[in-house]
Amino acid sequence: MTPEALLAMRDPLGAPVHPLIAQILLVVTYVLHIFFVTTAIGSLLVGLYGLGRREENWQRLAKVAIRLSVQATGLGITMGIAPLLFVQVIYDPAWYTATTLMGLWTTLFIPVVALGYLFLYILYLRGNLAGVGYVALALLLLAGFTMHSLANAGLYPSRWVEWYAPGGVPDTTGTRFVGYDLPRFAALLFGQAALSLGVMLLLFAWYFRRREDVPRDFLAFVEGLSRGALRLGAVLFGGFGLLWALTQGRELGLALPVALVALVVAGLFYLHAPRAKAEGALGTLGLYLGALLLVGILREGMRVAALGRMGYSPLAYPFVWDWGSLLFFVATGLAAVPVTVYLAQVLYASGKSKEGGDPSSGVESFGDLGVRLLVGWFLFYLGLGVFVLVRNLGA
């Protein structure tokens, strides 16, 4: 693969916005995606472990964790659409080549995720079928490893021909995984799964501390377990992160940045774990989102550096402002944010007691604003479509 060939593989129509915008949104949306994905894996693991324990607190926590895993999986799938789209916009040569090299696994990705989610939902409904849960876990891990391999294969344009035709013989089966780095996979999935679990357990203890029907000893148990999960996550992320630095990091000439990020995140949460309390759960959440952002920037930096060796820069990607798409994106964001905030406020208010609670008049007014914005968004979407249709017919 030559630099000229790599550049020639870009979409001739160019990106619809400045590539820097897509790059920033790629990192930000990745943070949300990986937070929910790792929450799903961490909560499923602790849920399956809890099903095997006889203690009442573990049994209660297992039900909570499995339900959380179902919800986090759905959110992880939804949030994963955005970073994937941004990758395809400014890294299309790398992404589409990787999906072709691993064609079979690319094709199986959605069925694997769907089956994993189905088995996970069966576990949630039945509650006591641990075997079904382990099948769901295996399928979700396979989906995660597939996406990990696809992302990593795009970092090595110089190897694409070798992977496609090993020994000069083309292999069009797409059955092999290529480009993967196991320490990176373990750090970003299992290390962060423990950290995400710790944060979510702390949020659980914070949220239900107002409820008289939730036993105090159970909340204390959850809070203590959250500190253990944070400490475990720090150790796993730090250990596997250093191995990541010595493997892929050294291979790409970025061993020092990878090692520094691994040590900073690991050290930060190892020191924070003993002081983590339910009352400060929101602060811990903010700290963790900042750490995920740091990791997201590291991942993007590695991709820029790896492809930059072949003369490929995402910031040099040709673009033409597509004002229709941009306006639609902004309008969707303006409509979605108030609605999401309103739903979060309603959920918070409803958890004040076992019987639930009514949101305040201010929250209700905010909800009315969200409804008006949704109506406006629909009218804007319809009007934009009619405008484009009439313009094209006139042309």
Side-chain angles (χ1 to χ4, degrees), residues 1 21 40 47 66 77 83 140 152 182 249 266 269 298 314 325 336 353 365 370:
M1 176 64 62
I21 297 176
I66 291 171
I77 294 170
L140 294 178
N152 275 259
L182 292 180
F269 282 95
L298 172 66
S325 298
S353 65
S365 299

Side-chain angles (χ1 to χ4, degrees), residues 145-297:
F145 186 72
T146 300
M147 194 57 61
H148 160 80
S149 299
L150 290 172
N152 275 259
L155 302 181
Y156 303 100
S158 59
R159 299 183 186 176
W160 290 347
V161 175
E162 172 193 346
W163 287 336
Y164 170 69
V169 180
D171 179 8
T172 59
T173 61
T175 57
R176 294 189 305 139
F177 285 107
V178 296
Y180 57 86
D181 183 82
L182 292 180
R184 171 175 172 156
F185 177 70
L188 297 185
L189 187 64
F190 296 113
Q192 290 182 164
L195 291 173
S196 296
L197 174 65
V199 171
M200 292 302 292
L201 290 178
L202 208 61
L203 287 170
F204 178 88
W206 165 77
Y207 182 76
F208 285 99
R209 74 193 190 285
R210 307 166 297 170
R211 295 271 292 266
E212 296 181 357
D213 59 310
V214 180
R216 299 296 101 182
D217 65 317
F218 176 63
L219 293 179
F221 168 75
V222 170
E223 186 176 345
L225 194 62
S226 71
R227 288 191 283 268
L230 290 174
R231 190 179 297 110
L232 174 63
V235 172
L236 291 176
F237 189 85
F240 286 120
L242 289 177
L243 291 176
W244 175 19
L246 294 175
T247 52
Q248 187 182 62
R250 184 171 60 180
E251 188 177 18
L252 298 177
L254 298 170
L256 183 58
V258 175
L260 285 177
V261 169
L263 291 175
V264 166
V265 174
L268 185 65
F269 282 95
Y270 192 85
L271 294 175
H272 178 71
R275 301 192 298 269
K277 296 184 181 298
E279 291 77 10
L282 294 179
T284 301
L285 173 63
L287 186 67
Y288 184 51
L289 291 177
L292 289 179
L293 181 61
L294 179 62
V295 174
I297 293 173

Side-chain angles (χ1 to χ4, degrees), residues 21 38 50 63 83 123 125-126 128 155 164 181 225 242 249 271 314 351 378 388:
I21 297 176
T38 52
K63 296 178 181 178
L123 174 66
L125 293 176
R126 294 296 300 273
N128 58 351
L155 302 181
Y164 170 69
D181 183 82
L225 194 62
L242 289 177
L271 294 175
F378 174 78
V388 173

Side-chain angles (χ1 to χ4, degrees), residues 26-350:
L26 166 60
V27 174
V28 173
T29 53
Y30 164 79
V31 169
L32 298 175
H33 166 64
I34 201 64
F35 174 67
F36 289 116
V37 167
T38 52
T39 295
I41 297 299
S43 55
L44 179 55
L45 284 170
V46 80
L48 291 173
Y49 177 78
L51 288 178
R53 299 289 296 266
R54 296 183 178 180
E55 296 89 337
E56 182 180 353
N57 280 339
W58 273 111
Q59 287 292 315
R60 183 190 294 264
L61 179 61
K63 296 178 181 178
V64 171
I66 291 171
R67 182 174 183 178
L68 172 61
S69 183
V70 172
Q71 296 167 339
T73 300
L75 287 170
I77 294 170
T78 304
M79 293 296 179
I81 296 172
L84 179 58
L85 289 176
F86 292 124
V87 164
Q88 294 177 75
V89 168
I90 56 176
Y91 293 111
D92 49 327
W95 177 254
Y96 290 119
T97 300
T99 57
T100 301
L101 290 170
M102 289 177 282
L104 175 65
W105 298 110
T106 304
T107 305
L108 291 177
F109 176 77
I110 292 180
V112 166
V113 171
L115 281 175
Y117 190 70
L118 174 62
F119 282 112
L120 182 58
Y121 206 79
I122 292 173
L123 174 66
Y124 164 63
L125 293 176
R126 294 296 300 273
N128 58 351
L129 299 178
V132 172
Y134 283 110
V135 173
L137 176 63
L139 290 170
L140 294 178
L141 289 178
L142 174 59
F145 186 72
T146 300
M147 194 57 61
H148 160 80
S149 299
L150 290 172
N152 275 259
L155 302 181
Y156 303 100
S158 59
R159 299 183 186 176
W160 290 347
V161 175
E162 172 193 346
W163 287 336
Y164 170 69
V169 180
D171 179 8
T172 59
T173 61
T175 57
R176 294 189 305 139
F177 285 107
V178 296
Y180 57 86
D181 183 82
L182 292 180
R184 171 175 172 156
F185 177 70
L188 297 185
L189 187 64
F190 296 113
Q192 290 182 164
L195 291 173
S196 296
L197 174 65
V199 171
M200 292 302 292
L201 290 178
L202 208 61
L203 287 170
F204 178 88
W206 165 77
Y207 182 76
F208 285 99
R209 74 193 190 285
R210 307 166 297 170
R211 295 271 292 266
E212 296 181 357
D213 59 310
V214 180
R216 299 296 101 182
D217 65 317
F218 176 63
L219 293 179
F221 168 75
V222 170
E223 186 176 345
L225 194 62
S226 71
R227 288 191 283 268
L230 290 174
R231 190 179 297 110
L232 174 63
V235 172
L236 291 176
F237 189 85
F240 286 120
L242 289 177
L243 291 176
W244 175 19
L246 294 175
T247 52
Q248 187 182 62
R250 184 171 60 180
E251 188 177 18
L252 298 177
L254 298 170
L256 183 58
V258 175
L260 285 177
V261 169
L263 291 175
V264 166
V265 174
L268 185 65
F269 282 95
Y270 192 85
L271 294 175
H272 178 71
R275 301 192 298 269
K277 296 184 181 298
E279 291 77 10
L282 294 179
T284 301
L285 173 63
L287 186 67
Y288 184 51
L289 291 177
L292 289 179
L293 181 61
L294 179 62
V295 174
I297 293 173
L298 172 66
R299 290 178 71 256
E300 183 62 15
M302 295 182 72
R303 178 156 39 202
V304 170
L307 294 177
R309 296 180 177 182
M310 297 289 291
Y312 187 98
S313 170
L315 296 182
Y317 203 100
F319 70 96
V320 177
W321 289 104
D322 185 342
W323 293 108
S325 298
L326 187 60
L327 287 173
F328 177 66
F329 180 83
V330 172
T332 302
L334 291 176
V337 170
V339 173
T340 303
V341 173
Y342 169 69
L343 292 176
Q345 291 176 314
V346 170
L347 288 173
Y348 181 79
S350 65

